[in-house]
Amino acid sequence: MNDLLEQASQRLLAAKAIAVLTGAGISAESGIPTFRDAMTGLWAKYNPADLATPEAFARDPERVSRWYDERRCRVAQCRPNSGHLALAHLQQVALAQEKAFTLITQNVDRLHQAAGSSDVVELHGSLWVWRCLECGNEVEERGPAFASYPHACACGGLRRPGVVWFGELLPSRAFATAEKAVASCDFFMSVGTSAEVYPAAGLIEQAIQVETDVLEINPEATAFSNRVSWSIRGKGGDVLPQIVGMALLDDASASETRQS
Ligand SMILES: NC(=O)c1ccc[n+]([C@@H]2O[C@H](COP(=O)([O-])OP(=O)(O)OC[C@H]3O[C@@H](n4cnc5c(N)ncnc54)[C@H](O)[C@@H]3O)[C@@H](O)[C@H]2O)c1
Ligand SMILES: [Zn+2]
């Protein structure tokens, strides 16, 4: 594993354009369950596909709103972990060196932004923004749990969570930005995603097709593990600080050598 880390961090250091795709796994160490782990407790009897669809909301807006509001309130208690922080640091350094850097996430928790990342490309929307189905008005909800469900707008319409549900289109601008970043990067990282939810997982395929260097970080194997340049089995919060730290240390020692 140390050899893989060393090789990947060397390539990261040399990269001119970096794109990163994150999934629920990067937030696991912040205490936010991945989809597989989210369906526990009271919600164990439901399938995410039965809650995270427009049909589910139309059928039972009370239940679906309650589920999302519970997740929103839980995320409000969570803090970014060392994986989020390492990516925010990497972005700062990359931009200072005039490299391109794009962080693309499938997460709806905004922990990347809380860690200091900027211009995050949100493919699946956000848990914080609720949108009225009647008048289209959007509000950022940062307060305590809603007093009643479903959540209603002043106009009398129902508000839905601003996430992308199964069967819905991804925000087209965000997806186009992500595709462009992947097409032009020379180092791509996929962290904490099962790579099963499309079209987001298609970005990994795209990076492999254009023969970019691809690093995957996940404690478990995915459908892409055998096709990427480096598949590191580990937690985002352990591996990312090591990779980023090694790349930055190498950079610091190289510039000391240049200066002397
Ligand atoms: N935090 C969130 O915002 C959140 C949480 C749950 C689900 N979702 C939504 O669920 C969908 C599911 O796709 P997905 O691929 O993002 O998640 P997923 O739940 O399908 O897969 C999570 C992946 O993370 C890996 N993982 C677990 N712990 C990890 C760790 N500590 N470090 C790195 N990886 C770890 C797992 O092995 C798994 O492959 C997405 O559409 C996403 O919007 C988001
Ligand atoms: Zn309204």
Side-chain angles (χ1 to χ4, degrees):
M1 166 140 148
N2 273 345
D3 281 356
L4 287 185
L5 275 170
E6 181 69 40
Q7 273 180 24
S9 70
Q10 288 288 338
R11 280 296 303 130
L12 176 59
L13 170 64
K16 299 268 180 290
I18 301 161
V20 185
L21 172 69
T22 64
I26 196 169
S27 295
E29 290 154 86
S30 292
I32 301 175
T34 60
F35 249 171
R36 199 185 310 165
D37 298 335
M39 307 320 280
T40 53
L42 277 179
W43 300 102
K45 56 181 189 259
Y46 299 105
N47 177 331
D50 294 337
L51 289 164
T53 65
E55 293 77 19
F57 186 75
R59 207 167 41 235
D60 196 340
E62 182 188 333
R63 177 191 291 159
V64 173
S65 308
R66 186 185 297 276
W67 187 58
Y68 278 97
D69 198 34
E70 280 184 16
R71 289 179 62 203
R72 181 181 71 89
C73 293
R74 180 166 183 172
V75 169
Q77 311 294 321
C78 297
R79 297 288 163 260
N81 63 56
S82 48
H84 299 106
L85 293 168
L87 288 179
H89 188 51
L90 179 64
Q91 177 177 31
Q92 262 182 8
V93 173
L95 295 181
Q97 296 174 342
E98 298 186 351
K99 296 179 176 187
F101 183 95
T102 311
L103 177 55
I104 308 157
T105 190
Q106 299 169 82
N107 295 346
V108 294
D109 54 34
R110 296 212 166 148
L111 286 186
H112 283 304
Q113 289 91 330
S117 289
S118 52
D119 300 321
V120 180
V121 180
E122 292 181 324
L123 294 181
H124 292 163
S126 161
L127 270 179
W128 301 101
V129 177
W130 289 63
R131 182 173 71 246
C132 174
L133 290 177
E134 294 300 324
C135 69
N137 172 269
E138 285 190 348
V139 277
E140 182 152 339
E141 299 283 5
R142 289 280 172 180
F146 302 147
S148 63
Y149 302 97
H151 189 39
C153 174
C155 82
L158 295 187
R159 285 196 194 280
R160 60 160 283 178
V163 300
V164 177
W165 281 326
F166 291 109
E168 292 187 317
L169 292 175
L170 268 55
S172 53
R173 255 202 16 224
F175 197 65
T177 305
E179 281 190 307
K180 208 170 140 198
V182 176
S184 57
C185 73
D186 57 353
F187 190 96
F188 179 85
M189 237 192 285
S190 158
V191 188
T193 173
S194 62
E196 283 168 7
V197 178
Y198 279 80
L203 295 169
I204 309 171
E205 180 74 48
Q206 188 193 339
I208 292 171
Q209 295 289 338
V210 297
E211 298 185 5
T212 299
D213 285 321
V214 180
L215 164 64
E216 174 184 76
I217 301 172
N218 196 312
E220 298 192 20
T222 75
F224 290 103
S225 297
N226 291 331
R227 299 174 56 207
V228 297
S229 323
W230 309 277
S231 174
I232 298 187
R233 301 285 155 79
K235 296 180 172 182
D238 291 335
V239 179
L240 278 168
Q242 289 186 59
I243 291 268
V244 170
M246 281 165 112
L248 299 184
L249 274 179
D250 283 351
D251 188 40
S253 57
S255 58
E256 270 166 28
T257 315
R258 276 195 299 273
Q259 276 160 21
S260 60

